[in-house]
Amino acid sequence: MGVALATSAYGVSFGALATASGLDVWQTCVLSLLMFTGGSQFAFIGVFGAGGLAALPTAIASAAMLGVRNAAYGMRMAPVVGTTFWRRVGAVHFTIDESTAIALAQSSGHARRVGFWVTGIAIYVGWNLTTLVGALLGDVVGDPKAYGLDAAAAAAFLALLWPRLRRRQPIAVGVAAAVVATVLTPFLMPGIPVLIAALVAIAVGWFGPAAPTAEPDDVPEREGLP
């Protein structure tokens, strides 16, 4: 719920920036209801706001490129959300960064399912409510940065990442991916630097040393052999 509150708060910023970029309140709310992936939404309004209707194809392409990461989340979360067709279809819309991270941080299958659904649904409801607030009160609210809302999403992601930084390899992967994304951001369209940065983890998993395997304690010994 803490992650949901922090992420939802940033929806005010999106609503205000979307209307400032040329969308009306209805279009802004539909974008949050149907797209519901913050990074792609901000990429869309950023490109659209800078270029108007002429930049619409580029805005769509930027949002789509940044949203590709959710497909990778879907493959990882498929066995977590349930085996029935309707459960998996229903989970598609809630498969985002935060719901995936919260689910994978749990130790049991039941806790992972609860973490996924509670986080995804709570953020969906909160994000859409705050999007409406930001769209309606954008001029009154003013610059969202003045309230620190621009840091809310980053703080939530850091809170999700921090428990995983307990060994050298995850720390190295995180630092390397951050450097790659930061260096490429000024030169590439939104979304592509994030996807390229993700290749750092793939490269480490592919070429890095294999994780040590340990024999389970319940393996019986036979004829004196382990």
Side-chain angles (χ1 to χ4, degrees):
M1 294 307 296
V3 171
L5 289 174
T7 305
S8 297
Y10 202 46
V12 175
S13 178
F14 171 74
L17 292 174
T19 52
S21 70
L23 300 180
D24 57 29
V25 174
W26 181 83
Q27 291 169 329
T28 299
C29 291
V30 167
L31 198 61
S32 279
L33 286 167
L34 299 183
M35 186 178 289
F36 185 52
T37 171
S40 295
Q41 292 180 231
F42 278 104
F44 178 87
I45 64 171
V47 176
F48 179 77
L53 287 176
L56 187 59
T58 304
I60 294 174
S62 298
M65 288 298 297
L66 196 54
V68 167
R69 72 193 192 282
N70 289 16
Y73 297 159
M75 291 186 288
R76 181 65 180 86
M77 297 306 299
V80 174
V81 299
T83 57
T84 64
F85 173 78
W86 290 113
R87 277 182 178 271
R88 293 190 174 186
V89 170
V92 169
H93 209 51
F94 304 117
T95 304
I96 56 176
D97 304 280
E98 294 85 356
S99 61
T100 301
I102 291 294
L104 295 180
Q106 312 309 313
S107 57
S108 68
H110 175 71
R112 286 186 174 190
R113 284 191 295 273
V114 172
F116 173 85
W117 288 107
V118 170
T119 305
I121 294 174
I123 293 178
Y124 183 78
V125 173
W127 178 263
N128 281 281
L129 289 176
T130 54
T131 292
L132 176 60
V133 171
L136 292 174
L137 304 178
D139 294 335
V140 177
V141 172
D143 187 1
K145 295 181 180 179
Y147 304 95
L149 294 179
D150 58 316
F157 279 116
L158 182 60
L160 294 174
L161 177 64
W162 191 259
R164 297 180 175 269
L165 301 180
R166 297 176 179 175
R167 294 176 298 172
R168 291 182 181 179
Q169 188 182 74
I171 294 174
V173 170
V175 171
V179 170
V180 169
T182 302
V183 170
L184 295 179
T185 294
F187 306 104
L188 299 177
M189 65 186 296
I192 296 181
V194 174
L195 296 178
I196 296 177
L199 296 178
V200 173
I202 296 175
V204 171
W206 188 269
F207 298 105
T213 58
E215 183 183 38
D217 295 332
D218 58 348
V219 175
E221 293 187 1
R222 181 174 298 176
E223 297 179 357
L225 298 175

